[in-house]
Amino acid sequence: MKKLVFLIVFFGFVNASFAQIKVYSISNEELKVKENMYVYSLPKVVFQVKVNVATECFYPGPFAQYAEKYLIISDVKTEYSEFSDISNIEIIPKYITDFDASFVVQSKKEPKIYLNENGVISSYGVQIDSDDNLLLDSDLFSKSFEFSNFHFPLFTDLTVEKNFSNITDTTYKVVQIDSMYQKIPVYNTSITSKTFEQKAEEAANFILKIREEKFFLLAGMFEWENPPTELEFMVAKLEELEKEYLSLFIGKVEYKYQEYDFEIIPDGNVETQKVKLLNLHAEEPVQVYFELTKNQKHSKISNFYKNKANSTKANKPQGLYYRIPGNATIKVKVENVDYYKANVVVPQFGQIEYLPIKMFKNKKLKIIFNENYGSIQSIGNE
């Protein structure tokens, strides 16, 4: 009788010492599928890269070749050109399911494991609000570059004078008067379009006239006794008109902008990942790259866990798997110039580790995971 009681107590103790769950890697080929199995995953990051490009477009003025002759303005550009530059860079990390880091949980009862809507582990032993567990990091870099909405510039005010001029030709006809012949002039008037140079000269003269009127206003040389109440407004309008006509000689600069959107998934097997994004217009096109480089700050930790994994029997069940996230440096480069540089957390660059299976004997065990990184935020008994 005493032996029977001893055996009952002994087996009860042994059963109580067994963990409530067993966890296997989903890549375990020896794993047999059973009904009481549940799958969870760890997260990985995808970088959404938004690049805004502003392009400076120069349109030469229609009277550019006459700028020096009529306005004494030299070195005027006479050909269309473009120059592009990055105006804004935004990099947003998005956290998705890493199906290569998925695990199978085996338990006689339904385990107290809670997942988010993407199947990423959120907590064990306690249910939490997923929104409170997210760390939606975002990084924003802006390079100052002013530009307006693009529109095609039209040079419409080419002159303030009429476009036609009267040309009078004189011919003679011979008329006999008595016994004498006499030449009588005949005047023929025709209308013809002005030449391009004539229009350029008129536009230049109009600019000089605007400047003269502006000088009279600023010097107080009015045709009336009292100064106008809207003097500043009148001067501003004259300057605006002068600028518009001056562009007929020196050209106009307008800006257009484009937004490029990319998604880049860091490859955990590559030390440096370089992705070409786009080309920028310049005298010679230049290339824009996204560069992601692993940081080796946690190499000692990684070596420790690798040695630990090598000393563990293969395919042996463990407790819940989690991640120790890795770090990387991301850059957006134009040729060899860094337009953006930041250190970021990259979960898939880190080390996957597991909790001891014995921990899960504790029925009060509560674990909260970071849903973005797959790391452990807290472990408690209460």
Side-chain angles (χ1 to χ4, degrees):
M1 186 66 180
K2 290 182 180 181
K3 290 183 179 180
L4 180 60
V5 173
F6 174 78
L7 290 174
I8 292 174
V9 173
F10 174 77
F11 283 111
F13 174 78
V14 171
N15 288 332
S17 65
F18 288 156
Q20 294 181 352
I21 64 172
K22 296 178 181 179
V23 185
Y24 302 86
S25 172
I26 202 169
S27 60
N28 186 346
E29 296 180 355
E30 299 180 4
L31 186 63
K32 296 180 180 180
V33 179
K34 298 180 180 180
E35 291 183 359
N36 57 339
M37 286 185 169
Y38 308 88
V39 178
Y40 77 91
S41 302
L42 297 177
K44 66 179 178 181
V45 70
V46 176
F47 289 108
Q48 182 181 10
V49 182
K50 294 183 178 181
V51 181
N52 290 333
V53 175
T55 302
E56 181 185 87
C57 305
F58 173 78
Y59 296 87
F63 300 149
Q65 58 181 323
Y66 304 111
E68 186 169 10
K69 181 177 181 179
Y70 292 114
L71 293 174
I72 320 177
I73 301 176
S74 58
D75 299 326
V76 173
K77 292 174 63 176
T78 58
E79 295 182 359
Y80 172 82
S81 63
E82 287 186 1
F83 176 80
S84 298
D85 199 1
I86 293 175
S87 61
N88 191 65
I89 298 173
E90 185 177 1
I91 297 182
I92 304 173
K94 295 183 176 180
Y95 301 93
I96 62 175
T97 305
D98 187 354
F99 294 106
D100 293 329
S102 296
F103 304 92
V104 178
V105 179
Q106 184 178 7
S107 176
K108 292 182 178 180
K109 298 180 180 180
E110 185 175 352
K112 297 181 291 183
I113 297 177
Y114 299 94
L115 313 179
N116 65 14
E117 58 183 7
N118 296 321
V120 173
I121 190 167
S122 174
S123 60
Y124 174 86
V126 57
Q127 189 171 12
I128 62 171
D129 187 353
S130 294
D131 293 337
D132 296 336
N133 196 29
L134 293 178
L135 295 176
L136 297 178
D137 297 335
S138 63
D139 198 0
L140 180 64
F141 170 80
S142 296
K143 180 181 179 182
S144 177
F145 193 102
E146 295 182 359
F147 57 95
S148 59
N149 291 339
F150 172 72
H151 63 277
F152 190 84
L154 297 177
F155 297 96
T156 55
D157 295 329
L158 300 184
T159 180
V160 293
E161 301 291 342
K162 59 184 180 180
N163 191 38
F164 299 98
S165 59
N166 296 330
I167 298 178
T168 302
D169 293 329
T170 303
T171 59
Y172 296 89
K173 67 178 181 179
V174 179
V175 179
Q176 185 179 1
I177 302 176
D178 295 333
S179 60
M180 298 180 61
Y181 291 92
Q182 186 175 357
K183 288 183 178 181
I184 299 176
V186 177
Y187 301 99
N188 299 314
T189 302
S190 62
I191 299 176
T192 184
S193 297
K194 295 178 181 178
T195 65
F196 212 62
E197 184 173 358
Q198 286 176 318
K199 295 177 184 179
E201 183 180 6
E202 288 178 350
N205 290 336
F206 186 62
I207 291 173
L208 298 177
K209 185 177 180 181
I210 292 173
R211 292 175 178 174
E212 184 180 24
E213 292 295 331
K214 186 172 64 172
F215 171 77
F216 289 153
L217 289 175
L218 294 175
M221 301 169 64
F222 311 118
E223 296 179 359
W224 47 88
E225 188 172 336
N226 296 322
T229 57
E230 298 180 347
L231 179 61
E232 292 183 1
F233 175 78
M234 296 171 65
V235 171
K237 283 298 180 182
L238 286 173
E239 289 178 346
E240 184 179 332
L241 188 60
E242 178 187 355
K243 182 179 179 181
E244 186 66 26
Y245 270 80
L246 195 58
S247 68
L248 298 174
F249 293 89
I250 65 175
K252 282 185 178 182
V253 175
E254 297 289 340
Y255 297 95
K256 63 180 179 180
Y257 69 90
Q258 294 172 289
E259 181 177 288
Y260 299 87
D261 202 335
F262 309 90
E263 278 197 352
I264 298 173
I265 302 177
D267 187 348
N269 299 317
V270 179
E271 294 297 323
T272 299
Q273 190 173 349
K274 194 172 183 180
V275 180
K276 179 183 173 181
L277 300 180
L278 53 100
N279 289 331
L280 291 179
H281 294 289
E283 293 182 1
E284 294 183 2
V286 293
Q287 296 180 337
V288 182
Y289 288 94
F290 176 90
E291 188 175 277
L292 182 71
T293 305
K294 275 186 181 181
N295 292 338
Q296 304 298 327
K297 294 180 180 179
H298 304 299
S299 57
K300 292 184 179 180
I301 296 177
S302 299
N303 292 334
F304 170 78
Y305 284 116
K306 285 180 181 178
N307 295 332
K308 180 181 176 182
N310 293 333
S311 64
T312 304
K313 293 182 180 180
N315 302 327
K316 182 179 178 181
Q318 307 296 343
L320 292 175
Y321 284 80
Y322 64 96
R323 261 202 173 112
I324 301 174
N327 297 85
T329 299
I330 56 176
K331 297 179 181 179
V332 176
K333 306 180 70 172
V334 179
E335 293 296 319
N336 295 320
V337 179
D338 293 342
Y339 272 52
Y340 177 97
K341 182 178 180 181
N343 292 322
V344 294
V345 176
V346 182
Q348 56 264 47
F349 282 2
Q351 180 74 27
I352 293 180
E353 184 50 28
Y354 56 84
L355 293 170
I357 195 170
K358 294 180 180 180
M359 287 183 59
F360 296 89
K361 294 187 299 181
N362 184 357
K363 294 182 179 180
K364 295 182 179 180
L365 180 64
K366 294 178 177 60
I367 306 172
I368 297 177
F369 294 86
N370 185 300
E371 294 179 28
N372 290 342
Y373 302 152
S375 57
I376 296 174
Q377 279 190 197
S378 64
I379 300 178
N381 293 321
E382 299 296 333

